[in-house]
Amino acid sequence: MTPNLILIFFLLHLSLFKFVPRAAAAGGQWALLQPNIGIVAMHMQLLSNDRVVIFDRTDFGLSNISLPNGKCRIDKTDTALKTDCSAHSIEYDVASNTIRPLTVLTDVWCSSGAVLPDGRLLQTGGFNDGDHAVRIYRPCSDCDWDEIKSGLTQRRWYATNQILPDGRQIIIGGRRQFNYEFYPKTNSDSKAYNLRFLVETNDPKIENNLYPLVFLNVDGNLFIFANNRAILFDYTKDVVVRNYPKLPDQNPRSYPSTGSGVLLPLKSFQGGKIGAEVLVCGGAPKGSHISAMNGKFVGALNTCGRIKITDPKPVWIMETMPLARVMGDMVLLPNGNVLIINGGATGTAGWEFGRDPVLKPVVYWPDNSIGSRFEIQNPSTIPRMYHSTAVLLRDGRVLIGGSNPHMYYNFTGVFSPTELRLEAFFAVVFKFGIQ
């Protein structure tokens, strides 16, 4: 982004957010957008019409918003309600700051998805009656979810989706699924394919390889990270092209030791070739999940690993964050910086297994020298633990929602109540003339 574009971007937001100079100890501004959206923002996706689809699991009983036009969801296998007339999905209109209830029928708990080339959201898998489901949401003023209950070959729960150059999505892994498949299906390619890497990274006691991090590399292959290691995978030939070294500290970064990761902005390295780097931050040390199950909450990891995945001999460069964090979210900002937000300082992901909310976001400056890449931001007042989310909006703000560390909707008598508020965070840390 050029200095002029950054200046225009800043002036557009000056009326809403106070500018904080780069040298300040903390920056960024928070705004409460909605005091109650009716559901937990477990999943969020910005669409091309500047609206955000938000959804939560369907088997938690009544949400705080009703389905439209007197609709009800009938599910004889639901463990909470057989007849549920509350919504578990909404559409948030960014421009008007309004919400509209939507109808999702199958359970989207810990599902996965990505946006198709035509702008539709494809969401796959989930729990119980949703584990084989494919759901499609089209961006339009009055659209609702379309669902294909048996659209997948295998059960997908805690899997990862990645859009491919040909417009298909690859769906990788999931609980007790050491394989991958594609969607849409074709007559010649409708099966699942084994992926031994997912077996090798599986911890039989707690797995620690769920929701693998997947990024499309510049050579067309897939960088897949699970537990504490990664591969470069040629999905067209079903072949592992490269095994990357393990993280030096050997600690897991996948669910339930949940860290987060981003593909950093592409740039030219020596020789003029376009290179790619991946940044993986936070998580929980080995044994943390079992400790949390026994009531002992171990401190989260305060490290990040960064690797040039296109290098002939790539190595992990470890960096230290100013704040330890598990269950954090990472969002790539318009100026190429990375926002690290949400999560806790102890424990792991899962019901009742995380503690000590981290209220202060951190901005990571990838082009600064090591030792000067992290900047702590102003804190929120709302804890965002298990089942919280963050997505970038078109105006540069980051939409923040969710947090439900407990079974069902519990608003009192728990350490971190179910959270229905929706916030926006704006990281005003642009460095004029440098970016």
Side-chain angles (χ1 to χ4, degrees), residues 93-139:
D93 188 322
V94 176
S96 64
N97 191 31
T98 57
I99 60 177
R100 179 172 69 92
L102 303 174
T103 307
V104 63
L105 299 176
T106 55
D107 199 346
V108 295
W109 180 26
C110 295
S111 57
S112 55
V115 175
L116 293 165
D118 62 5
R120 294 176 299 157
L121 171 62
L122 177 74
Q123 196 72 18
T124 59
F127 190 56
N128 285 339
D129 64 347
D131 61 7
H132 282 74
V134 170
R135 307 167 200 88
I136 297 174
Y137 188 83
R138 187 184 304 274

Side-chain angles (χ1 to χ4, degrees), residues 340-417:
I340 308 171
I341 198 165
N342 299 337
T346 60
T348 67
W351 305 122
E352 306 280 353
F353 295 149
R355 291 291 189 277
D356 303 312
V358 182
L359 299 177
K360 294 180 179 179
V362 169
V363 169
Y364 177 85
W365 295 65
D367 292 334
N368 283 6
S369 59
I370 292 179
S372 61
R373 288 177 174 166
F374 294 96
E375 181 182 68
I376 296 176
Q377 303 290 288
N378 290 320
S380 173
T381 59
I382 303 175
R384 300 290 185 180
M385 299 291 281
Y386 190 46
H387 291 162
S388 59
T389 47
V391 296
L392 181 69
L393 299 178
R394 291 197 300 173
D395 59 12
R397 293 176 298 162
V398 176
L399 191 67
I400 312 293
S403 188
N404 191 20
H406 318 282
M407 291 289 287
Y408 307 106
Y409 279 24
N410 294 326
F411 300 99
T412 59
V414 289
F415 78 92
S416 184

Side-chain angles (χ1 to χ4, degrees), residues 32 72-74 77 113 119 139 163 180 205 211 226 256 260 293 297 308 310 341 345 347 351-352 362 411 417 432:
L32 179 65
C72 294
R73 183 179 61 88
I74 311 297
T77 64
I163 188 74
Y180 64 93
K205 294 181 180 179
Y211 276 145
S260 50
M293 293 171 68
F297 303 100
K308 293 180 181 178
T310 48
I341 198 165
W351 305 122
E352 306 280 353
V362 169
F411 300 99
F432 295 101

